[in-house]
């Protein structure tokens, strides 16, 4: 049940919780009111029956003293004014036992027992019975037992329960309407936030924003989410710009490496031509020395360019895999700066050597 409840939509959860809380509170209130009303009504009925029994007992004292059952019956007949009283039994002491002296029965099929014990009041599920002593000058001369039906009281309680059920139904309906309205107020901003997050994840568009949702905790959550999207968008733009710059620099270094390689090949061809030239045989050693001098800065430049190319390829892989860190980016920038400086210095040195060699080739009489 708990797992099934977790899978419910948030609207259904909020509605169910509000309705359950309202229903539980209303049910407890109804039970408490019914229990209180029943207890109060029953206590009132017991007090009323006790007062009635004592009044009737006082009025039957003379009938017991003069042993006049007719007067006693007429006195008990006054209980007819209370329809809920079913039976009234008047007993007089006959020796140590109590003997029936007079009775009143609302229904003709009810009869009092001829003798009874000295019993106290008792209450059953259907009837309420009370026994009061009849005294004369401090001496108990008899007892009066009155039995009252609880059906009228139950009818009143059923009517009250019906009213409470109507109130409960109306209150539950109002609670449902209020729960439906409140759950929309709570769930709508969260659903919009979830929808925006899903669109950002699918489209990778960090310019999307969730709608404002007030100044409560949900509104603060929406504002923080929008700020997070803004920061991610800025970082994404910075990474794309850096990637384009690195790609451009790597392409330029690649072209420079190709030009250096071509220059080196041309220098080798020139060296071979000079060696093969009989007229310049004496310059063979010089050409070899110049080629060696040129080969050194060119080799250093090629090494630096190769190192830069490898670092750029590694950086590209890290960016594509999403593992690129700021420290690695700074390290690559430092390496690119240092490699560019090395390449430029060695290219300048090679250019100077080539310029000097051209001067020697053009002006063979030059001592320099």
């Amino acid at each position: 049940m708990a797992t099934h409840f977790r899978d419910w939509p948030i609207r259904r959860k909020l509605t169910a919780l509000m309705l359950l809380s309202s229903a539980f509170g209303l049910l407890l209130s109804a039970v408490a009111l019914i229990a209180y009303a029943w207890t109060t009504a029953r206590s009132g009925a017991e007090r009323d029956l006790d007062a009635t029994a004592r009044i009737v007992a006082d009025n039957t004292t003379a009938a017991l003293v003069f042993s006049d059952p007719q007067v006693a019956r007429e006195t008990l007949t006054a209980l007819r004014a209370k329809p809920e009283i079913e039976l009234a039994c008047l007993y007089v002491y006959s020796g140590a036992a109590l003997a029936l002296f007079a009775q009143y029965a609302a229904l003709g099929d009810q009869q009092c027992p001829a003798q009874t014990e000295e019993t106290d009041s008792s209450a059953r599920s259907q009837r309420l019975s009370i026994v009061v002593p009849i005294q004369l000058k401090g001496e108990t001369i008899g007892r009066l037992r009155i039995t009252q039906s609880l059906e009228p009281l139950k009818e009143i309680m059923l009517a009250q329960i019906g009213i409470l059920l109507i109130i409960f139904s109306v209150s539950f309906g109002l609670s449902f309407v209020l729960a439906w309205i409140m759950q929309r107020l709570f769930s709508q901003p969260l659903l919009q936030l979830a929808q925006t997050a899903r669109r950002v994840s699918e489209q990778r568009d960090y310019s999307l924003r969730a709608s404002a949702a007030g100044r409560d905790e949900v509104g603060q959550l929406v504002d923080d989410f929008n700020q997070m999207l803004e920061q991610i968008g800025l970082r994404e733009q910075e990474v794309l710009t850096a990637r384009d710059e690195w790609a451009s620099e790597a392409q330029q270094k690649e072209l420079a490496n190709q030009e250096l390689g071509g220059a080196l090949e041309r220098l080798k061809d020139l060296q071979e031509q000079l060696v093969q030239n009989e007229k310049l045989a004496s310059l063979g050693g010089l050409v070899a020395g110049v080629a060696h001098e040129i080969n050194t800065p060119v080799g250093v430049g090629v090494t630096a360019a190769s190192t830069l190319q490898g670092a750029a390829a590694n950086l590209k892989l890290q960016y594509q895999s999403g593992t690129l860190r700021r420290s690695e980016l700074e390290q690559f920038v430092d390496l690119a700066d240092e490699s560019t400086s090395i390449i430029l210095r060695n290219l300048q040195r090679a250019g100077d050597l080539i310029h000097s060699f051209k001067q020697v080739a053009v002006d063979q009489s030059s001592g320099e």
Side-chain angles (χ1 to χ4, degrees):
M1 181 62 183
T3 304
H4 181 64
F5 180 76
R6 279 200 307 268
D7 297 335
W8 283 7
I10 188 170
R11 291 182 174 181
R12 187 180 299 177
K13 288 180 181 178
L14 290 174
T15 304
L17 290 175
M18 292 180 181
L19 289 179
L20 287 175
S21 300
S22 301
F24 187 72
L26 290 172
L27 184 61
L28 286 180
S29 301
V31 172
L33 287 174
I34 292 172
Y36 177 76
W38 172 256
T39 304
T40 303
R42 192 180 184 108
S43 300
E46 291 176 354
R47 290 193 299 270
D48 183 68
L49 182 60
D50 181 73
T52 301
R54 294 187 182 278
I55 292 173
V56 174
D58 292 340
N59 291 332
T60 58
T61 303
L64 291 179
V65 171
F66 295 102
S67 299
D68 190 349
Q70 182 63 31
V71 175
R73 282 192 294 271
E74 292 176 356
T75 302
L76 294 178
T77 305
L79 295 173
R80 189 179 301 167
K82 290 183 174 293
E84 64 273 12
I85 295 179
E86 297 180 345
L87 187 63
C89 303
L90 180 63
Y91 295 93
V92 65
Y93 278 100
S94 177
L98 288 171
L100 181 63
F101 184 76
Q103 69 175 359
Y104 162 77
L107 300 177
D109 57 348
Q110 294 182 347
Q111 296 292 330
C112 295
Q115 294 183 347
T116 185
E117 302 291 336
E118 297 182 8
T119 56
D120 295 329
S121 303
S122 62
R124 298 181 181 179
S125 60
Q126 300 295 331
R127 291 176 177 82
L128 183 65
S129 180
I130 189 171
V131 177
V132 295
I134 301 174
Q135 295 180 342
L136 180 65
K137 295 181 180 181
E139 180 183 358
T140 301
I141 60 175
R143 289 186 178 274
L144 176 64
R145 182 183 186 91
I146 298 179
T147 302
Q148 175 180 319
S149 175
L150 295 178
E151 289 300 325
L153 183 62
K154 290 183 178 180
E155 292 177 358
I156 295 175
M157 292 304 302
L158 288 176
Q160 292 183 357
I161 291 174
I163 295 173
L164 288 176
L165 287 177
I166 295 173
I167 296 174
F168 180 83
S169 301
V170 174
S171 301
F172 189 79
L174 293 176
S175 299
F176 179 79
V177 175
L178 292 176
W180 178 257
I181 296 174
M182 294 302 295
Q183 63 86 16
R184 289 181 62 86
L185 294 177
F186 283 113
S187 63
Q188 193 66 28
L190 295 177
L191 293 176
Q192 292 180 354
L193 181 63
Q195 184 178 6
T196 303
R198 190 180 303 110
R199 290 176 57 193
V200 170
S201 178
E202 294 174 353
Q203 303 176 8
R204 299 188 66 83
D205 184 5
Y206 298 104
S207 63
L208 297 174
R209 295 293 182 269
S211 302
R215 299 181 179 179
D216 56 357
E217 290 79 359
V218 178
Q220 185 64 39
L221 176 62
V222 172
D223 293 340
D224 294 340
F225 178 77
N226 290 334
Q227 293 179 4
M228 181 186 68
L229 288 180
E230 183 177 359
Q231 296 296 325
I232 293 176
L234 293 176
R235 297 294 184 272
E236 182 76 9
Q237 187 63 35
E238 291 176 358
V239 171
L240 291 176
T241 303
R243 184 188 66 179
D244 295 338
E245 293 177 355
W246 298 331
S248 179
E249 291 179 0
Q251 186 177 6
Q252 293 177 2
K253 300 305 184 293
E254 184 71 21
L255 294 175
N257 289 336
Q258 293 176 1
E259 293 177 357
L260 289 174
L264 182 61
E265 293 295 331
R266 290 192 298 270
L267 287 175
K268 289 183 178 180
D269 294 339
L270 181 59
Q271 180 184 6
E272 291 178 358
Q273 292 177 5
L274 291 175
V275 171
Q276 292 176 0
N277 194 347
E278 294 179 355
K279 294 181 180 181
L280 298 177
S282 60
L283 295 178
L286 179 60
V287 171
V290 171
H292 175 73
E293 290 296 327
I294 293 177
N295 203 14
T296 299
V298 172
V300 173
V302 171
T303 302
S306 300
T307 303
L308 181 60
Q309 183 181 13
N314 186 29
L315 184 67
K316 183 177 181 181
L317 291 176
Q318 290 178 345
Y319 172 74
Q320 292 176 350
S321 62
T323 59
L324 178 61
R325 297 192 300 270
R326 185 181 183 88
S327 59
E328 295 173 346
L329 176 59
E330 294 176 351
Q331 184 178 1
F332 173 77
V333 172
D334 295 337
L335 178 61
D337 186 26
E338 183 178 0
S339 300
T340 306
S341 299
I342 292 174
I343 292 172
L344 291 176
R345 287 198 305 270
N346 284 274
L347 286 177
Q348 184 65 37
R349 182 181 177 188
D352 294 338
L353 290 173
I354 293 173
H355 179 70
S356 300
F357 185 78
K358 286 183 178 180
Q359 287 182 350
V360 173
V362 173
D363 188 8
Q364 298 183 4
S365 64
S366 174
E368 184 180 355

